[in-house]
């Protein structure tokens, strides 16, 4: 096929044949029927996923005992990228094909690359993402958030910080809606991952998410926007997984600020949100909140120094939550986790703090009262009223 005299089915022959068959399609964006165009783009999605699997398996040996050397030939993942960038510019009747093209662009960009992506590809990708987010098309927005996810910013692609404000806006739109089918988990994950970016990123230019044209600006309040969205998700998020991710992200925010002894104004509110989540009707959400509070034990001394009332509040709410639990609830693993968390906080704070009077009662008395009630299988008399407010 390539003009040589060697006979047989060789790898080079397979590659040439595959490229020629793919090129025989011509420009798929010239297909007039939107249905056929959508089917072709869906096939290209499947083809790309197959190529990605092939590349991932090239790093696995037959006996799985050693790492094979880097392959000389790798699947050409970006060979169809020009079709995708052209497809997203088609009219609205090609919606199925356009959504598949957006998905392909995201898949091609966030995959680990053996060779750095060309600058032209990244430029077109950033423009496509920005245009898709500001287009007010929820379907496009959902595809972009779902198939880029938090991985986009972890790749440290050149210029990716331009999209920070776009993704904050996109995540806020998704999490503010009541659409359960939306990629809420990915949206919260993106917001949580942005909290880990260096503080210097607030000085970098970002694309303005309300302008259809390319307009850059700085956003020194980006971190505050992220925290506000996360706190809102911790309180009102209807899906369990997304709410758990939001709680974990808030816990990491508190821990990080305490590590640097930053007296951030939102820390007391964030701790309160974790405490309220202990009373959630979803057991996994309550468990994540409990584990997050247990994590903060490591910084109990700093928390006590910067916010003297917050540790006392943690002891108080943990005790109240345990006291309000029914006999059936106390038999579950969540009770054990809460008791362990309460014990750890008590040990970290020490007698000097536990002997303080908080809400007209010494903390030590509150702690021993709830432990005695659990041993004797007593339930706080206000339990029915409190349990009604659980979410």
């Amino acid at each position: 096929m390539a003009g040589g005299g060697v006979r047989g089915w060789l790898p080079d022959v397979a590659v040439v044949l595959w490229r020629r068959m793919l090129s025989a399609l011509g420009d798929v964006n010239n297909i007039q029927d939107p249905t056929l165009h959508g089917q072709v783009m869906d096939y290209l999605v499947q083809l790309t996923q197959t190529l990605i699997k092939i590349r991932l398996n090239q790093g696995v040996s037959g006996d799985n005992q050693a790492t094979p050397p880097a392959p000389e030939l790798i699947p050409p993942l970006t060979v169809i990228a020009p079709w995708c960038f052209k497809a997203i510019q088609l009219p609205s009747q090609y919606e199925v094909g356009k959504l598949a093209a957006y998905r392909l662009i995201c898949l091609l960009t966030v995959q680990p690359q053996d060779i750095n992506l060309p600058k032209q590809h990244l430029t077109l990708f950033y423009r496509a993402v920005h245009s898709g987010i500001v287009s007010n098309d929820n379907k496009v927005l959902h595809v972009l958030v779902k198939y880029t996810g938090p991985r986009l910013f972890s790749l440290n692609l050149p210029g990716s910080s331009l999209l920070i404000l776009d993704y904050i806006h996109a995540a806020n739109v998704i999490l503010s809606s009541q659409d359960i089918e939306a990629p809420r988990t990915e949206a919260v994950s993106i917001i949580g991952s942005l909290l880990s970016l260096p503080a210097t990123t607030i000085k970098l230019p970002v694309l303005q998410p309300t302008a259809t044209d390319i307009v850059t600006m700085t956003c020194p309040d980006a971190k505050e926007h992220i925290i506000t969205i996360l706190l809102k998700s911790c309180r009102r998020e209807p899906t369990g997984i997304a709410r758990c991710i939001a709680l974990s992200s808030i816990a990491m925010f508190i821990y990080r600020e305490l590590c640097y002894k930053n007296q951030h104004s939102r820390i007391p509110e964030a701790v309160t949100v974790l405490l309220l989540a202990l009373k959630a009707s979803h057991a996994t959400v309550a468990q994540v909140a409990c584990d997050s509070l247990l994590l903060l034990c490591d910084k109990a001394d700093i928390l006590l120094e910067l916010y003297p009332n917050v540790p006392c509040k943690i002891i108080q709410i943990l005790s109240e939550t345990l006291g309000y639990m029914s006999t059936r609830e106390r038999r579950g693993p969540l009770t054990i986790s809460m008791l362990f968390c309460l014990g750890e906080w008590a040990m970290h704070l020490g007698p000097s703090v536990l002997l303080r009077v908080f809400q007209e009662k010494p903390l030590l008395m509150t702690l021993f009262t709830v432990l005695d009630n659990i041993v004797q299988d007593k339930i706080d008399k206000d339990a029915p009223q409190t349990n009604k407010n659980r979410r």
Side-chain angles (χ1 to χ4, degrees):
M1 292 183 64
V6 180
R7 294 179 177 272
W9 187 254
L10 303 175
D12 294 346
V13 176
V15 171
V16 172
L17 179 60
W18 179 79
R19 289 291 296 269
R20 289 185 178 180
M21 291 182 64
L22 193 62
S23 300
L25 294 172
D27 187 352
V28 297
N29 295 304
N30 291 332
I31 298 175
Q32 299 298 317
D33 189 342
T35 303
L36 293 178
H37 180 266
Q39 291 175 354
V40 172
M41 296 305 296
D42 284 337
Y43 164 73
L44 292 178
V45 171
Q46 298 174 23
L47 173 65
T48 301
Q49 291 174 333
T50 301
L51 292 177
I52 291 172
K53 291 178 181 178
I54 291 173
R55 177 63 192 96
L56 293 176
N57 281 283
Q58 284 181 313
V60 180
S61 61
D63 56 2
N64 202 25
Q65 298 297 318
T67 302
E72 295 182 3
L73 301 175
I74 57 176
L77 296 179
T78 58
V79 69
I80 58 174
W83 285 347
C84 299
F85 287 120
K86 187 175 180 180
I88 62 176
Q89 301 175 15
L90 293 174
S92 57
Q93 59 263 33
Y94 292 87
E95 181 184 64
V96 175
K98 289 177 66 176
L99 293 178
Y102 274 112
R103 179 180 176 181
L104 268 172
I105 292 171
C106 296
L107 287 175
L108 295 174
T109 306
V110 301
Q111 287 301 315
Q113 302 289 336
D114 297 275
I115 304 173
N116 292 335
L117 290 169
K119 290 184 179 180
Q120 184 180 10
H121 177 96
L122 292 176
T123 302
L124 293 173
F125 171 73
Y126 296 153
R127 187 177 186 91
V129 171
H130 174 71
S131 301
I133 289 176
V134 302
S135 66
N136 295 323
D137 188 333
N138 285 334
K139 291 183 179 179
V140 173
L141 189 72
H142 292 177
V143 168
L144 290 173
V145 171
K146 182 175 182 178
Y147 292 104
T148 53
R151 180 172 176 79
L152 173 63
F153 295 103
S154 68
L155 294 173
N156 198 25
L157 296 173
S160 60
S161 58
L162 284 169
L163 299 176
I164 288 177
L165 205 55
D166 279 330
Y167 272 94
I168 292 175
H169 170 73
N172 189 37
V173 170
I174 291 174
L175 297 174
S176 298
S177 70
Q178 299 300 319
D179 186 5
I180 304 297
E181 301 299 324
R184 309 182 74 89
T185 301
E186 290 83 358
V188 176
S189 299
I190 290 172
I191 290 294
S193 68
L194 289 176
L195 269 181
S196 302
L197 293 178
T200 53
T201 54
I202 64 174
K203 301 178 182 179
L204 299 176
V206 293
L207 295 176
Q208 187 174 341
T210 56
T212 54
D213 201 2
I214 301 299
V215 179
T216 59
M217 57 178 289
T218 56
C219 187
D221 298 329
K223 185 176 180 179
E224 296 301 320
H225 293 322
I226 293 171
I227 295 171
T228 300
I229 295 171
L230 284 175
L231 289 174
K232 181 175 65 175
S233 298
C234 289
R235 294 188 180 100
R236 304 175 185 175
E237 176 56 41
T239 59
I241 297 178
R243 192 174 180 186
C244 288
I245 295 173
L247 289 168
S248 299
S249 300
I250 282 296
M252 288 189 290
F253 155 70
I254 300 172
Y255 194 91
R256 183 180 181 183
E257 295 298 316
L258 293 178
C259 284
Y260 294 103
K261 293 188 177 182
N262 294 333
Q263 198 166 6
H264 198 285
S265 59
R266 308 297 291 274
I267 287 181
E269 181 185 359
V271 173
T272 301
V273 166
L274 292 177
L275 292 171
L276 290 175
L278 291 173
K279 302 178 182 180
S281 57
H282 197 298
T284 306
V285 172
Q287 182 67 59
V288 170
C290 182
D291 293 342
S292 300
L293 289 169
L294 183 61
L295 169 69
L296 299 181
C297 278
D298 291 343
K299 302 298 176 183
D301 54 339
I302 301 175
L303 192 63
L304 185 64
E305 176 187 347
L306 299 179
Y307 309 95
N309 290 329
V310 171
C312 301
K313 187 176 183 180
I314 292 174
I315 295 289
Q316 179 73 25
I317 299 300
L318 275 170
S319 301
E320 288 181 358
T321 305
L322 285 167
Y324 294 154
M325 283 184 169
S326 64
T327 303
R328 182 178 180 181
E329 289 174 327
R330 287 176 179 173
R331 295 173 183 171
L334 179 59
T335 303
I336 299 174
S337 298
M338 285 191 183
L339 284 170
F340 183 71
C341 183
L342 181 61
E344 285 294 307
W345 271 101
M347 294 294 290
H348 278 77
L349 295 178
S352 59
V353 178
L354 295 177
L355 291 174
R356 292 181 185 177
V357 176
F358 188 76
Q359 294 186 358
E360 303 179 354
K361 191 176 181 181
L363 282 176
L364 196 59
M365 178 64 71
T366 302
L367 192 151
F368 278 115
T369 299
V370 70
L371 293 179
D372 183 65
N373 288 341
I374 292 175
V375 170
Q376 299 187 31
D377 202 14
K378 293 181 181 179
I379 301 175
D380 193 288
K381 61 182 180 180
D382 296 329
Q385 298 176 2
T386 305
N387 286 337
K388 288 180 181 179
N389 297 326
R390 287 193 172 192
R391 290 187 59 192

